[in-house]
């Protein structure tokens, strides 16, 4: 995947995440985080636990959002250097 393709995909996913998060749809926002994580190469993917219940979605987002963003930035830098 090229840098431009990755950026376009991640930008759409981030918009979907922000939309769901802002509306308080934490389960949907958590699903988008899972999807973003799946777009990363295996060595950069986080090991994410399944959501145990709907109430844990907000804490899941709080816990993993910045980690996934950091992994996305790292992968972008790798793509830029190719």
């Amino acid at each position: 995947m090229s840098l431009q393709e990755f950026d376009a995909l991640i930008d759409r996913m981030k918009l979907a995440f922000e939309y769901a998060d802002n509306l308080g749809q934490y389960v949907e926002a958590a699903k988008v985080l899972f999807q973003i994580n799946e777009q990363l190469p295996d060595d950069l993917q986080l090991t994410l636990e399944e959501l145990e219940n709907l109430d844990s979605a907000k804490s899941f987002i709080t816990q993993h959002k910045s980690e996934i963003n950091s992994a996305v930035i790292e992968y972008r830098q790798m793509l830029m250097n190719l």
Side-chain angles (χ1 to χ4, degrees), residues 34-63:
F34 275 107
Q35 292 171 348
I36 291 172
N37 190 53
E38 289 174 355
Q39 297 304 313
L40 298 169
D42 291 340
D43 61 328
L44 290 177
Q45 283 187 11
L46 302 174
T47 303
L48 301 176
E49 70 277 357
E50 294 287 325
L51 287 178
E52 295 178 14
N53 59 52
L54 301 180
D55 297 328
S56 66
K58 187 173 182 177
S59 64
F60 175 88
I61 292 167
T62 303
Q63 180 179 0

Side-chain angles (χ1 to χ4, degrees), residues 16-34:
F17 169 80
E18 291 172 9
Y19 183 77
D21 191 37
N22 288 337
L23 290 176
Q25 297 175 341
Y26 302 117
V27 172
E28 294 303 317
K31 288 179 184 179
V32 175
L33 284 183
F34 275 107

